[in-house]
Amino acid sequence: SRRGLPAAGRGELLNLAERCARTWRLLPSSDGGRMLLTVLAASALGDPHALDRGSLVATALLRLLGHEPPDSAETWRLAWDEHGIDCDPVSSRVLVMNLRLRGNAACVRLTEAAGPEPLWLTWRSLIGTFLAEDPEVFVCENPSVLIAAADELGTRGLPLVCTNGRPSAAAMRLLTGLAAAGTVLHVRADDDPAGQEIVSGIMKAIPGTRLWRFALRVPVTPRYEEQDIDVLLRDLRGGTPK
């Protein structure tokens, strides 16, 4: 009776159930095993694209796993990730600078090597354990802020994460992991409708996040981060964020 499923009586619903059952048997175990979604699809169904976003089998499987069909590519990734399945773990990424980490995830070694140089971290590099050496990490929306910090502050700058627009799954994985380990996040974005959604979404997902020279409100006149670059750089030198 669920909308979106084939009607019973023509064999299509039975075929869908059989394909779901074949795939279910090959899901990663709950002890920490992981698998690429394309490998799961090829192994169970003979087609690496059989579980692409929007397919009936993928939608049905996610419902069986307790998820309604994700409404974005990032929520799609997060839903599968909960069950040990990776959706192209190198395409989702997040931009960072001066982020000093400890742990066994690949991002720890990457950030150590990069130092104050802007660095893209992929979802894959965030698999494992990581925590920040610094008690506070700053978060902006636009790469121009991070580039200015790299050019003008170098190693003197505080840790900075750039969402590059709406946060990717990798960005949310990084920020959630940092906060869970006790890091205080200071978050901002452009003061326009999109920026307000970005900041409110992060604060809703990660309780305890603090605003960085930003107010949650309905913006009357948009103001962009580039217009406040001097004061943001002053904060990143170790000034007191407001």
Side-chain angles (χ1 to χ4, degrees):
S1 63
R2 183 181 286 274
R3 293 179 62 185
L5 290 176
R10 297 179 299 188
E12 296 177 8
L13 193 58
L14 177 60
N15 176 263
L16 175 61
E18 290 172 341
R19 289 166 66 82
C20 286
R22 290 204 302 272
T23 309
W24 188 274
R25 295 188 187 101
L26 298 182
L27 290 175
S29 62
S30 58
D31 60 1
R34 303 196 68 83
M35 177 183 292
L36 281 172
L37 185 63
T38 51
V39 172
L40 175 63
S43 301
L45 306 172
D47 178 359
H49 298 290
L51 296 175
D52 283 356
R53 184 180 170 199
S55 76
L56 282 177
V57 182
T59 299
L61 277 169
L62 284 177
R63 282 173 167 157
L64 289 169
L65 290 166
H67 304 273
E68 284 302 308
D71 57 5
S72 71
E74 303 307 336
T75 53
W76 169 265
R77 291 176 188 273
L78 291 170
W80 285 113
D81 178 67
E82 286 186 27
H83 307 283
I85 300 167
D86 298 318
C87 306
D88 188 9
V90 297
S91 64
S92 182
R93 58 185 188 162
V94 55
L95 184 61
V96 304
M97 189 196 94
N98 275 343
L99 186 64
R100 294 168 281 270
L101 301 173
R102 289 185 283 116
N104 63 21
C107 60
V108 176
R109 300 186 297 277
L110 292 170
T111 52
E112 182 180 6
E117 185 65 19
L119 171 70
W120 287 102
L121 296 175
T122 65
W123 171 282
R124 176 184 170 86
S125 74
L126 296 163
I127 296 174
T129 62
F130 60 86
L131 56 87
E133 293 187 355
D134 297 276
E136 298 177 309
V137 169
F138 291 76
V139 183
C140 65
E141 177 188 354
N142 295 287
S144 54
V145 177
L146 187 141
I147 293 168
D151 289 343
E152 298 191 26
L153 305 180
T155 56
R156 294 176 292 117
L158 294 173
L160 184 61
V161 174
C162 175
T163 64
N164 193 28
R166 297 185 186 278
S168 65
M172 291 306 299
R173 187 185 188 103
L174 173 62
L175 297 177
T176 301
L178 293 175
T183 301
V184 176
L185 301 177
H186 298 271
V187 178
R188 63 159 296 113
D190 288 332
D191 190 10
D192 61 3
Q196 289 286 332
E197 288 183 14
I198 289 169
V199 174
S200 62
I202 292 174
M203 297 193 73
K204 181 178 179 181
I206 309 175
T209 298
R210 300 179 184 178
L211 295 174
W212 174 23
R213 296 190 184 274
F214 195 84
L216 290 175
R217 60 187 179 84
V218 177
V220 178
T221 302
R223 187 169 181 86
Y224 303 100
E225 288 183 322
E226 291 82 357
Q227 294 174 274
D228 295 316
I229 198 75
D230 290 338
V231 70
L232 298 182
L233 291 179
R234 186 165 68 241
D235 289 344
L236 293 170
R237 286 190 185 96
T240 303
K242 297 179 180 181

